[in-house]
Amino acid sequence: MVKKPKLAVFASGTGSNLAALLKAAQADTLGGDIVRVVIDRKSAGAIAIAEAANIPVLQIRYPAFETREAAEQEIVKTLVADGVTGILLAGYMRILTPYIVQAFEQRILNIHPALLPSFPGNNAIEDAWNAGVKVTGVTIHYVDTGVDSGQIIAQTPVLISEDETIDELTERIHDAEHHLYPETVAKLIKEGVFQA
């Protein structure tokens, strides 16, 4: 029997993608165990979600470190001690440095609320809305040292209807994320991507 990979989820916000991933892990459809949640904002809703699931939380205060690399060294030290072999970014609002990207090369995923390479960056839903496109969506990609520039793994389109509000579109994109992320992670685990 292949050992389930241990995963860490990085989040900065409400934690809705964390909740979707945890739900899949608890239902045993993810194929891996989430053993650590890393948070960079003490007000993040993801903290309560992690605590409710008894997942240990590492709160990292970047300003307390001299460099971003120094903060990431602290993160990596914790992840190695946890036996983590894969990282899932779920609304983590920081660009990772080469230090952590190389430590977990091709084992860090990000979810992005647009069809990359269109609309990278942290205002993707608004950018697509303002551009007047008819189709946007969700992308899951490997993380490299650029901004939303890593190899694309999976995408799902979300049609923009003329009579909806941006809030309604945002909700539909989040709904698509909550399906695509666990499915994609499960598929990659089956393919052995997160084996150390």
Side-chain angles (χ1 to χ4, degrees), residues 120-134:
N122 60 6
N123 295 311
I125 296 174
E126 209 172 274
D127 291 346
W129 177 266
N130 292 336
V133 296
K134 301 290 181 220

Side-chain angles (χ1 to χ4, degrees), residues 11-179:
S12 301
T14 60
S16 66
N17 273 305
L18 167 63
L21 291 162
L22 281 170
K23 191 175 165 191
Q26 286 155 357
D28 212 20
T29 57
L30 195 68
D33 292 320
I34 295 166
V35 299
R36 174 70 63 179
V37 173
V38 176
I39 304 282
D40 68 332
R41 292 181 185 169
K42 64 177 190 283
S43 60
I47 296 169
I49 292 168
E51 287 173 349
N54 291 317
I55 309 290
V57 174
L58 172 65
Q59 282 191 53
I60 201 85
R61 283 192 62 252
Y62 279 78
F65 295 87
E66 277 190 26
T67 62
R68 288 189 306 143
E69 286 83 359
E72 287 179 358
Q73 282 166 5
E74 194 64 29
I75 294 171
V76 169
K77 198 164 74 179
T78 301
L79 299 187
V80 168
D82 290 337
V84 165
T85 57
I87 296 171
L88 311 175
L89 304 185
Y92 195 63
M93 292 304 177
R94 291 192 179 268
I95 306 300
L96 300 181
T97 74
Y99 176 80
I100 199 166
V101 171
Q102 284 159 13
F104 287 87
E105 195 162 1
Q106 292 295 90
R107 288 181 290 136
I108 306 176
L109 306 187
N110 185 38
I111 187 157
H112 184 76
L115 295 176
L116 291 173
S118 298
F119 312 113
N122 60 6
N123 295 311
I125 296 174
E126 209 172 274
D127 291 346
W129 177 266
N130 292 336
V133 296
K134 301 290 181 220
V135 182
T136 185
V138 176
T139 301
I140 294 166
H141 64 93
Y142 287 113
V143 173
D144 59 16
T145 53
V147 177
D148 299 325
S149 56
Q151 178 195 338
I152 292 169
I153 303 163
Q155 292 184 309
T156 192
V158 174
L159 300 179
I160 300 175
S161 64
E162 283 175 22
D163 57 352
E164 74 181 331
T165 66
I166 190 165
D167 290 342
E168 289 167 335
L169 173 64
T170 300
E171 200 172 304
R172 291 196 306 113
I173 286 174
H174 289 329
D175 190 48
E177 288 179 341
H178 302 159
H179 289 91

